[in-house]
Amino acid sequence: MERIAIKMLVGDRAKYLSLVFGLAFAVLLIAQQGSIFLGLMLRSTGFLQNIAQPDLWISDPHIRYIADVRPLNDHDLYRVRSIPGIAWAVPFFAARTMVDLPDGTYKSVQLIGIDRSTLIGQPPDMTEGRLEDLRLVDAVLVEESARPKLGHVKVGDILKLNDKRAKIVGFCRAKLGFESNAIIYTTYDNAVRFTPTGRKRMTFILAKAKPGEDPQLIAAAVNRLPDLGAFTLEEIRWRTVQFILIETGIGINFGITVLLGFIVGLVVSAATFYQFTLENLRHFAVLKAIGARTSMLVKMILLQALVVGLIGYGIGVGLAGAFSLIGRKPGAELAVFFPWQLMVVSLVAMILTVSVGSLLSLRRVITLEPAVVFK
Amino acid sequence: MNPASPAQSATVSSAPAGVPAVRLVGVTKAFGSGRSAVHALRGVDMVVPGGQLLMLVGPSGCGKTTLISIISGVLNADGGVAEVFGVDWSTLNGGRKTVRRGELIGFVFQQFNLIHTLTALENVSVPLLVRGVDRHEANDRAAQALKDVGLGERMNVPPSSLSGGMQQRVAIARALVGQPRLLVCDEPTANLDGQTGQMVMELIHTAARSNDPTGQPRVVIVVTHDSRIFHYADRIEEMEDGRLKSRPSQVILDEAKHIPHYDKPSPDSGEES
Ligand SMILES: Nc1ncnc2c1ncn2[C@@H]1O[C@H](COP(=O)(O)OP(=O)(O)O)[C@@H](O)[C@H]1O
Ligand SMILES: [Mg+2]
């Protein structure tokens, strides 16, 4: 009867295709909106995306968001370095600043300052020039997507940051954030010099545990120091995402949109499948009349749901994946993040949906009076 | 009247030894409740012995379909007893009823009720697949059943590409492939032209003349208000307003002969086969 069930499903090409594409569209909606939402959330974590070396991100313990920090000072850095088990602890600077362009306009950029000797916090990829040249006097690296925004500058060009001279020694590629649609890298000392700050100017202290040392124990030691808190990458990332989700309203509003897409997708798929069974109800009644037990009809419907659900899912997730590939293209402004978890979520959603759709259908089939065959 | 089975000779024939194929006692059925209730059956008593081709006739809405629905176990009676081959339907639960239907009863419907996304052969194999017969055997037997109704050449086409008469023959093959002991047909010729209807009735009549797997002659109940096919009956029961009218079959038949469209069956009646 499995063959019969499948033939009932695919036999009517037009109906079958509209069913499959209905489901595929629903999955596309779920996966695509989901991936954009996740992409935006990921983008909100800004420079966290680019830095993997440290075990611990140390800042004020009350930090809620990476762009909303109470800066630390040199003394804090020495306190952290004196904790046993710390392999290294380096300063990290991130702040918005102005670049004056030759044509008299200006551009707001995110200035990232990294430790001069270790270069920890460096951009993930160099596209032109050498990273080491960052140690030269007044040297800066420009992130590729800022190049056009700064008037197609080249290596050797001079930028003015708050009236201070900065020389471009290379170009790099890094992931952008909300705060950083144009990024300039320099050393920590340069960054401090380029921006008017007070005594406190360190955005983060990046620290690493010695091999064999438990970063959690070191974090606990940092947390015992007054006004210092240590976070793993995951913790600081989650704090930032939570802030965006809850405090800014972006998350909530867009989240509701995504959720609506999700629900619409699910309802459409469930209804589509339910409708399909309704159209076949008479056939099921005939099968019931000629001796097909309810359990057999249930199996047939579940099989149909599974087949059409998986095919619809495959097409939908394929299309959504194609979208995310476009978004992943370097320099694309689209924020798309399509992790395997999203595939699993949309698969589970799809299976749930067709199950609900088929449960509704089943209710009709189970309570079906076979007498309707004579109608 | 078909020469092989004059109605008068079989009328209310004495039941053969053993249980009758169908025994109805005081069967009632109403749809809806209260003042708007429709009393489709108001107490039907009937005994059908084995080997009869019984026709249930009467005007539209008199309860014919309701009655064969109850006889064939697809509808529950409100009151009375409906027994088929000695078993009262009301003593079986849903699943047992379904299985018993599959084993004992073949169905032919006015609108054929074929699954249009399956081929003729697949449609005919369904009753066997439902019973767990393996696919190859089911296909072989379905093919034979289609040959028996003269459709050996059109097995692998969808029903929609067949004429109405052919579709009904496919439906008859489907009804007979499982060797049912009771064949119920609801207005099998109503959607067909006169000649095609005669041909379909010939097949149903042949089924009534062949034995079921227990060696007993098969029982066939045909609901119709098509007087052109009355002559195929061994016995005719007339219904009116939810009750059987006890008039002898021959009287009903004689009356039908005076209806202008009454066709004498010709031996080669029917459509292309
Ligand atoms: N499912 C139903 N719901 C309500 N009324 C019904 C239903 N089935 C049949 N009836 C009514 O019962 C009466 C008998 O119907 P039916 O047995 O179909 O008559 P026939 O087959 O002789 O034309 C009619 O009045 C019909 O409208
Ligand atoms: Mg009827």
Side-chain angles (χ1 to χ4, degrees):
Chain A
M1 288 305 283
E2 292 79 14
R3 258 173 55 86
I4 300 292
I6 297 297
K7 285 209 73 175
M8 280 173 75
L9 176 68
V10 303
D12 186 334
R13 275 301 128 98
K15 252 185 217 166
Y16 171 64
L17 287 182
S18 70
L19 183 56
V20 162
F21 280 104
L23 297 186
F25 170 73
V27 172
L28 174 64
L29 199 65
I30 290 168
Q32 207 263 338
Q33 294 232 33
S35 66
I36 290 207
F37 181 68
L38 292 180
L40 281 177
M41 288 304 109
L42 195 63
R43 182 167 282 201
S44 75
T45 64
F47 51 74
L48 294 180
Q49 303 167 87
N50 296 319
I51 304 172
Q53 301 108 313
D55 292 330
L56 296 175
W57 292 70
I58 297 165
S59 72
D60 186 277
H62 304 297
I63 182 170
R64 295 186 305 162
Y65 174 48
I66 50 163
D68 177 26
V69 289
R70 183 151 66 191
L72 310 175
N73 59 30
D74 293 346
H75 179 63
D76 296 322
L77 182 60
Y78 304 138
R79 289 198 294 167
V80 170
R81 281 182 176 158
S82 65
I83 293 173
I86 290 262
W88 46 254
V90 296
F92 179 80
F93 177 99
R96 298 203 69 80
T97 193
M98 292 298 174
V99 176
D100 295 307
L101 300 179
D103 63 1
T105 61
Y106 60 90
K107 173 83 190 144
S108 163
V109 299
Q110 184 176 49
L111 186 65
I112 302 271
I114 61 175
D115 182 51
R116 183 169 182 275
S117 55
T118 61
L119 298 179
I120 285 167
Q122 68 202 48
D125 289 304
M126 291 297 295
T127 52
E128 202 180 332
R130 299 188 321 140
L131 179 65
E132 294 71 33
D133 289 347
L134 206 55
R135 297 196 178 105
L136 300 175
V137 177
D138 296 339
V140 295
L141 296 174
V142 174
E143 203 281 327
E144 282 291 349
S145 39
R147 196 199 282 251
K149 292 168 186 161
L150 297 176
H152 295 283
V153 286
K154 324 178 282 300
V155 170
D157 283 359
I158 304 294
L159 294 176
K160 282 176 88 180
L161 281 100
N162 295 316
D163 284 336
K164 308 208 171 60
R165 183 179 168 278
K167 184 175 181 190
I168 299 173
V169 296
F171 288 88
C172 61
R173 173 94 54 210
K175 296 236 170 73
L176 306 179
F178 290 159
E179 307 292 324
S180 47
N181 57 355
I183 308 176
I184 291 183
Y185 280 87
T186 187
T187 61
Y188 177 74
D189 302 321
N190 279 344
V192 169
R193 214 160 40 73
F194 289 149
T195 42
T197 52
R199 194 169 55 87
K200 291 188 159 198
R201 56 218 174 175
M202 214 175 288
T203 315
F204 278 102
I205 296 167
L206 310 183
K208 178 112 187 149
K210 281 184 186 151
E213 296 284 344
D214 182 357
Q216 287 301 329
L217 291 179
I218 293 174
V222 173
N223 290 336
R224 279 195 293 275
L225 298 174
D227 297 331
L228 285 183
F231 305 94
T232 63
L233 182 61
E234 279 315 308
E235 287 166 348
I236 196 84
R237 198 183 261 164
W238 181 232
R239 278 190 179 223
T240 295
V241 167
Q242 264 183 318
F243 178 85
I244 295 286
L245 272 177
I246 294 158
E247 303 273 326
T248 65
I250 298 174
I252 291 301
N253 287 315
F254 190 53
I256 288 172
T257 310
V258 171
L259 194 69
L260 263 170
F262 207 82
I263 292 170
V264 167
L266 297 191
V267 169
V268 166
S269 330
T272 311
F273 188 76
Y274 179 55
Q275 179 62 27
F276 175 76
T277 312
L278 280 195
E279 283 163 10
N280 273 322
L281 210 54
R282 185 174 192 85
H283 296 321
F284 285 116
V286 170
L287 292 178
K288 208 169 185 174
I290 65 181
R293 300 190 60 159
T294 302
S295 58
M296 181 176 277
L297 302 181
V298 167
K299 273 189 221 150
M300 290 175 74
I301 289 180
L302 290 182
L303 179 66
Q304 292 176 338
L306 191 70
V307 167
V308 83
L310 284 180
I311 293 175
Y313 168 78
I315 296 174
V317 99
L319 289 175
F323 266 105
S324 88
L325 281 186
I326 297 169
R328 203 171 288 160
K329 216 173 66 192
E333 298 288 346
L334 217 59
V336 180
F337 179 46
F338 200 88
W340 61 268
Q341 287 92 334
L342 188 58
M343 290 236 251
V344 173
V345 166
S346 43
L347 177 61
V348 169
M350 175 82 311
I351 288 175
L352 273 178
T353 307
V354 286
S355 307
V356 170
S358 46
L359 277 182
L360 290 176
S361 329
L362 285 176
R363 217 177 40 100
R364 291 295 299 267
V365 169
I366 289 168
T367 59
L368 186 65
E369 280 275 8
V372 305
V373 292
F374 285 122
K375 288 279 162 306
Chain B
M1 177 62 48
N2 191 301
S5 56
Q8 57 269 44
S9 66
T11 307
V12 202
S13 63
S14 54
V19 289
V22 178
R23 193 171 76 96
L24 305 178
V25 183
V27 170
T28 59
K29 180 75 189 178
F31 295 102
S33 57
R35 298 173 95 236
S36 62
V38 177
H39 294 275
L41 298 179
R42 300 168 181 268
V44 175
D45 302 308
M46 186 165 79
V47 172
V48 187
Q52 267 194 351
L53 196 165
L54 168 70
M55 274 191 195
L56 271 176
V57 306
S60 180
C62 68
K64 306 182 294 293
T65 297
T66 306
L67 189 61
I68 58 158
S69 299
I70 289 171
I71 292 172
S72 58
V74 294
L75 189 69
N76 298 328
D78 291 343
V81 176
E83 269 180 21
V84 170
F85 301 110
V87 176
D88 184 346
W89 283 119
S90 69
T91 62
L92 303 178
N93 67 20
R96 303 261 314 273
K97 250 168 119 167
T98 301
V99 170
R100 191 171 163 81
R101 272 200 307 272
E103 287 168 352
L104 292 183
I105 300 174
F107 290 91
V108 174
F109 310 100
Q110 176 176 346
Q111 49 269 2
F112 323 141
N113 278 335
L114 299 171
I115 299 177
H116 42 260
T117 52
L118 305 181
T119 64
L121 185 71
E122 286 164 337
N123 267 290
V124 175
S125 70
V126 163
L128 301 174
L129 296 174
V130 157
R131 286 199 221 167
V133 174
D134 101 319
R135 186 153 69 86
H136 295 287
E137 190 191 334
N139 272 354
D140 291 347
R141 287 171 60 183
Q144 187 55 51
L146 278 168
K147 283 182 198 136
D148 292 346
V149 298
L151 285 175
E153 309 295 309
R154 309 294 299 271
M155 297 197 291
N156 292 312
V157 298
S160 55
S161 70
L162 299 174
S163 68
M166 288 177 169
Q167 291 190 44
Q168 194 60 300
R169 279 146 67 192
V170 173
I172 290 169
R174 177 177 68 180
L176 293 175
V177 73
Q179 298 287 339
R181 297 179 65 189
L182 169 63
L183 179 66
V184 296
C185 313
D186 191 22
E187 314 265 9
T189 60
N191 283 6
L192 306 175
D193 64 61
Q195 274 209 340
T196 312
Q198 296 292 334
M199 158 145 211
V200 159
M201 270 317 295
E202 285 292 337
L203 289 170
I204 291 172
H205 184 253
T206 306
R209 290 291 161 266
S210 48
N211 288 349
D212 69 21
T214 67
Q216 310 282 323
R218 181 172 284 128
V219 184
V220 179
I221 302 179
V222 177
V223 161
T224 187
H225 59 251
D226 180 358
S227 54
R228 296 170 297 183
I229 62 170
F230 283 6
H231 59 274
Y232 284 100
D234 297 324
R235 165 184 167 194
I236 300 176
E237 291 287 351
E238 199 175 15
M239 285 187 78
E240 192 177 68
D241 199 17
R243 288 192 183 86
L244 290 185
K245 279 164 75 176
S246 45
R247 291 207 295 165
S249 301
Q250 191 57 52
V251 174
I252 302 165
L253 196 62
D254 289 343
E255 227 174 61
K257 283 180 182 160
H258 298 111
I259 299 172
H261 63 49
Y262 178 82
D263 299 331
K264 260 226 135 14
S266 59
D268 51 18
S269 65
E271 55 176 6
E272 77 288 15
S273 57

